[in-house]
Amino acid sequence: QVQLVESGGGLVQAGGSRGLSCVASGNTFSNYAMGWFRQAPGKEREFVAAISWSGVSTRYVESVKGRFTISRDNAKNTVYLQMNSLKPEDTAVYYCTAGRNFATAIRGAGDYWGQGTQVTVSS
């Protein structure tokens, strides 16, 4: 079992930055690849970014490349999502997920999800 708790959401102006954190507890964090997903009102949940267990491999959805950075600190059982140059279309609830491998995290097929944190970008 892995419990995931996101934090860092809030209201930010367009062009601004926001950092999200996801702290894991339970099973060994470094065993899991991690992902961030988001869901905007009336839309399906979509993949944002993923990182392998070692942190060597990362993947991003095209719309956030160059603006968002995923990272992890296995010593702190934490995965981060640094979001820069935010746009109103980035407004969503952001979720982190743990997957048994990188592909699972990218597909959102992991067994573990956090409760989400709201990010609102005002224009």
Side-chain angles (χ1 to χ4, degrees), residues 2-8 19-36 51-55 69-82 96-98:
V2 176
Q3 294 79 41
L4 304 172
V5 179
E6 303 97 334
S7 62
L20 304 183
S21 300
C22 173
V23 179
S25 60
N27 282 350
T28 305
F29 177 70
S30 58
N31 287 347
Y32 295 89
M34 300 297 295
W36 285 97
I51 188 166
S52 61
W53 68 269
S54 65
T69 302
I70 188 171
S71 61
R72 68 188 295 161
D73 185 338
N74 288 344
K76 295 182 178 180
N77 291 353
T78 303
V79 61
Y80 305 96
L81 185 68
Q82 179 61 39
C96 69
T97 181

Side-chain angles (χ1 to χ4, degrees), residues 18 37 55 58 62 68 84 92:
R18 198 81 182 181
F37 282 70
T58 58
E62 190 65 32
F68 290 12
N84 299 328

Side-chain angles (χ1 to χ4, degrees), residues 4 13-14 30 38 44 47-48 62 70 72 98 103 105 107 119:
L4 304 172
Q13 288 189 334
S30 58
R38 65 186 179 186
E44 294 187 354
F47 168 76
V48 176
E62 190 65 32
I70 188 171
R72 68 188 295 161
R107 295 198 312 268
V119 174

